[in-house]
Amino acid sequence: DTEVTQTPKHLVMGMTNKKSLKCEQHMGHRAMYWYKQKAKKPPELMFVYSYEKLSINESVPSRFSPECPNSSLLNLHLHALQPEDSALYLCASSQQESNQPQHFGDGTRLSIL
Amino acid sequence: GENVEQHPSTLSVQEGDSAVIKCTYSDSASNYFPWYKQELGKRPQLIIDIRSNVGEKKDQRIAVTLNKTAKHFSLHITETQPEDSAVYFCAASWQAGTALIFGKGTTLSVSS
C-alpha cells in the first residue's frame, strides 16, 4: 500500500497545454520532493520542499513550476513542455529534511505529444 | 557535488545464490545511504538504509555494509529468490542530508 498518493497515474498532453501533477501524503512528513525518472535511469532530483518552503531547485526549467499549498500537498504545474520531458514523475516525502528515509509515490507517467 | 558510482550494471544469479552490489561515493560529508528496489513499472521502494555511525545492518536476507574510510557501501542479498529480480539503486545523502543522489542502478535477474 502506497502512503504517498500521486494523481493522475498517466497524463498525455500537447506542448501547448497546461496541466498539474498532484501529490498527497498524510504521514506528517515535513519534507517533500519531486523527481524525474527516464526509462532505465535513476530518479533525478528536481525540487525539495521543507516545511512548505522551496529549499532546493536543481536548475529545473521554468516550464516546471512546483507549489506546496500545505504540509500534505505538493503540486507540479506544467506548461509548454517539450517531448524530452516525457518521463515518470515521482513524488516522495520524508519525516524531516535531513537524512531520513524517503517514501515514493507510484508516479505519474507523462507523455508529451 | 556528490557522485555515486554503482557496479555492476547487470547481475544474473541462480536462485539460492548470493548477490552483491557495490557503490562508491565522492563526498566525505555524506552520512546516509539508502537502497531502493524498483520493479518494472513500479515505484522505488526502500529496502534498507545505513547511517555513517554504523558499519553493517541486516534485515533478514538483506544486509548493507559501509566503509567510510574507503567511501564505499554494498548491498548483500542471500538465498536469492525469483521475486528479488528488479532494479536496485543505491543512494547517498547530499546537501547536508537534504537530498539524495542515486547510483545508475543494477538490474538483478534471479533464475530458478
Side-chain angles (χ1 to χ4, degrees), chain B residues 4-112:
Chain B
V4 178
E5 300 279 342
Q6 183 171 346
H7 299 280
S9 56
T10 60
L11 180 58
S12 296
V13 299
Q14 292 286 325
E15 183 177 1
D17 288 349
S18 294
V20 181
I21 303 170
K22 298 182 179 180
C23 288
T24 60
Y25 60 98
S26 60
D27 188 352
S28 55
S30 294
N31 54 11
Y32 173 64
F33 308 93
W35 285 89
Y36 286 85
K37 174 184 180 182
Q38 188 173 27
E39 297 176 61
L40 191 62
K42 301 212 173 162
R43 65 189 168 96
Q45 192 158 11
L46 180 71
I47 55 171
I48 197 166
D49 57 9
I50 193 167
R51 289 184 172 76
S52 58
N53 58 345
V54 175
E56 184 176 6
K57 184 176 178 180
K58 286 184 181 179
D59 183 3
Q60 300 182 337
R61 297 186 297 109
I62 293 173
V64 56
T65 58
L66 171 64
N67 183 326
K68 277 220 76 176
T69 303
K71 290 192 280 189
H72 66 71
F73 56 112
S74 299
L75 178 71
H76 304 254
I77 306 174
T78 58
E79 300 172 23
T80 53
Q81 300 165 5
E83 50 266 38
D84 294 328
S85 297
V87 179
Y88 291 81
F89 293 103
C90 64
S93 63
W94 182 61
Q95 295 274 39
T98 60
L100 292 177
I101 298 297
F102 286 82
K104 293 193 173 176
T106 297
T107 301
L108 174 64
S109 300
V110 181
S111 52
S112 54

Side-chain angles (χ1 to χ4, degrees), chain A residues 1-2 33 35 37 40-43 45 48 56 58 88 90 97-106 109, chain B residues 31-32 36 38 41-46 49 51 89 93-105:
Chain A
D1 55 327
T2 305
Y33 312 80
Y35 289 87
Q37 187 177 28
K40 303 193 179 191
K41 298 289 185 184
L45 183 67
V48 179
I56 295 178
E58 279 295 286
L88 179 68
L90 292 161
E97 196 169 355
S98 180
N99 294 332
Q100 295 296 318
Q102 292 184 22
H103 300 272
F104 284 85
D106 287 332
R109 190 159 299 281
Chain B
N31 54 11
Y32 173 64
Y36 286 85
Q38 188 173 27
K42 301 212 173 162
R43 65 189 168 96
Q45 192 158 11
L46 180 71
D49 57 9
R51 289 184 172 76
F89 293 103
S93 63
W94 182 61
Q95 295 274 39
T98 60
L100 292 177
I101 298 297
F102 286 82
K104 293 193 173 176

